[in-house]
Amino acid sequence: MDSVLLNIQQLNSCYGVIQVLHQVNVSVQQGEIVTLIGANGAGKSTLLMTVCGDPKATAGKVYFAGQDITALPTHEIIHAGIAHVPEGRRIFARMTVLENLAMGCLQPQHHKTQLAQVFDLFPRLAERQEQLGGTLSGGEQQMLAIARALMSRPRLLLLDEPSLGLAPLMVKQIFQVIEYINKQGISIFLVEQNACHALRLAHRAYVMVNGRIHLSGTGQALSQNPDIQRAYLGL
Ligand SMILES: Nc1ncnc2c1ncn2[C@@H]1O[C@H](COP(=O)(O)OP(=O)(O)O)[C@@H](O)[C@H]1O
Ligand SMILES: [Mg+2]
């Protein structure tokens, strides 16, 4: 686990004239689960979106597997091997589960094998293939969003608050799924407000405050840090 897969260097990002990210440095090694925690509005989603090229970085670099992807259009970034599960899932409500999954597939020759793999991972989706996305429960929609991202056979999965708004049992399942996906060799960059769960899962973690990386360390070290416990773990 010592080859850098994602390397974000001195990244700035803006909405119009408002700068949100300030000199952000983050890396994800091959095989790691890296978590980013931080308060609402800190800039976590903006970081994932900037990695995907929308909005474009205004300064700094993003390297993926050694390639400079900073200026690439989003579809080329996805083709390079990054899949993004945005906050709020954004599945296609009026398409079936099967149609949603087909939208995530980049190479038709892999469609069948990928479908079999995601149905293996999410038997609930297999049972509901013909059901419209919008009729699924929140947890099932989150599973569908993750499954759709996996259809592109990514090397790196960017997950934006996958546990948000889900019942405790479903939260537990989602975190188990993330761990399982990672064991299959997919690196994970996970944004979470559920810091307790997320830090337990993470090999390493970063804390973002007002668009800057404030702290980093192993998941365990951060979960034992008194400042982190007070601010994010409610201890
Ligand atoms: N599309 C947008 N246009 C303008 N400002 C935005 C937009 N999206 C987010 N912001 C602002 O950028 C900041 C960071 O937001 P965001 O990245 O969503 O934070 P987080 O994901 O950590 O909650 C916030 O102040 C937010 O209001
Ligand atoms: Mg967010």
Side-chain angles (χ1 to χ4, degrees):
M1 286 218 305
D2 58 353
S3 79
V4 184
L5 186 60
L6 180 71
N7 194 357
I8 301 170
Q9 292 184 352
Q10 297 291 315
L11 199 72
N12 289 359
S13 190
C14 303
Y15 295 109
V17 295
I18 310 290
Q19 185 172 351
V20 174
L21 299 183
H22 304 265
Q23 292 105 45
V24 170
N25 294 308
V26 163
S27 67
V28 179
Q29 312 278 332
Q30 181 69 47
E32 267 189 324
I33 300 178
V34 173
T35 289
L36 176 67
I37 60 173
N40 212 356
K44 305 179 299 297
S45 296
T46 301
L47 178 58
L48 296 190
M49 291 180 341
T50 308
V51 166
C52 293
D54 185 16
K56 288 266 167 264
T58 51
K61 291 284 183 195
V62 181
Y63 296 94
F64 180 66
Q67 182 194 1
D68 181 355
I69 61 166
T70 324
L72 292 185
T74 300
H75 68 273
E76 287 185 29
I77 294 172
I78 295 167
H79 272 273
I82 297 180
H84 180 207
V85 181
E87 193 176 322
R89 350 249 197 248
R90 303 216 204 119
I91 57 149
F92 301 106
R94 310 194 57 167
M95 286 184 173
T96 65
V97 166
L98 215 49
E99 287 164 346
N100 268 278
L101 292 173
M103 299 293 289
C105 184
L106 298 178
Q107 298 144 312
Q109 73 271 28
H110 293 306
H111 184 256
K112 263 204 163 122
T113 21
Q114 280 310 105
L115 206 55
Q117 277 188 23
V118 301
F119 283 157
D120 198 36
L121 184 59
F122 301 109
R124 286 276 271 274
L125 295 182
E127 290 163 16
R128 288 164 169 67
Q129 318 188 16
E130 301 300 336
Q131 209 169 306
L132 293 182
T135 67
L136 300 176
S137 73
E140 289 164 354
Q141 290 190 13
Q142 184 61 62
M143 287 177 185
L144 178 56
I146 295 174
R148 185 177 61 189
L150 292 175
M151 290 296 287
S152 69
R153 307 171 85 225
R155 293 178 66 188
L156 175 69
L157 193 56
L158 308 176
L159 293 171
D160 199 343
E161 308 225 21
S163 77
L164 193 70
L166 301 184
L169 191 62
M170 190 54 76
V171 171
K172 204 171 150 202
Q173 279 184 24
I174 291 285
F175 279 102
Q176 280 169 350
V177 160
I178 294 169
E179 209 161 11
Y180 180 82
I181 292 170
N182 176 249
K183 293 231 162 79
Q184 301 202 317
I186 299 175
S187 307
I188 311 258
F189 188 36
L190 169 69
V191 164
E192 260 300 333
Q193 295 233 7
N194 192 332
C196 192
H197 256 105
L199 290 178
R200 205 178 305 141
L201 198 70
H203 299 112
R204 288 186 308 112
Y206 294 85
V207 181
M208 180 173 268
V209 178
N210 294 332
R212 296 172 196 274
I213 298 299
H214 179 66
L215 265 178
S216 66
T218 63
Q220 199 184 6
L222 289 191
S223 61
Q224 287 165 358
N225 177 317
D227 293 337
I228 302 295
Q229 290 183 340
R230 212 173 312 115
Y232 303 103
L233 300 175
L235 298 176

